[in-house]
Amino acid sequence: MKRGLIVYVTGGGELHEDSWGSYACMDRFGADTVGVARSEFDIAENWWRMITQGMQEILCVRAQVSDEGMRILGAPLRICG
């Protein structure tokens, strides 16, 4: 089963889809692809992109990014699958 992960950055600095933090999240949650969101609109856009890429399960996690690194807030929310 293909799994997608949306990282919703709610505080702190910037996170890019090709950064170390994104790849660490992919490993932690066993995801095949990752998307970064800064708003609810970005979550919906990433969800749609992942659905069209054939992801059967999509998770969303909240994160804060700082100079020390990235911190995941709470448990992942299953959006689809």
Side-chain angles (χ1 to χ4, degrees):
M1 174 172 13
K2 292 172 73 175
R3 177 182 284 175
L5 177 69
I6 301 170
V7 180
Y8 181 30
V9 180
T10 58
E14 291 290 321
L15 180 68
H16 300 283
E17 291 182 10
D18 60 348
S19 70
W20 60 268
S22 297
Y23 294 125
C25 280
M26 285 177 69
D27 288 342
R28 180 175 176 180
F29 294 102
D32 297 301
T33 189
V34 67
V36 177
R38 297 291 280 168
S39 69
E40 290 84 5
F41 177 78
D42 292 342
I43 292 173
E45 186 176 322
N46 278 294
W47 171 80
W48 180 252
R49 180 178 51 86
M50 290 179 187
I51 289 291
T52 60
Q53 290 175 349
M55 298 296 136
Q56 288 112 359
E57 182 179 42
I58 300 173
L59 303 174
C60 183
V61 295
R62 277 187 31 209
Q64 285 185 335
V65 179
S66 66
D67 293 336
E68 292 84 35
M70 183 174 63
R71 185 171 64 124
I72 301 295
L73 306 171
L77 173 69
R78 187 182 333 164
I79 297 177
C80 176

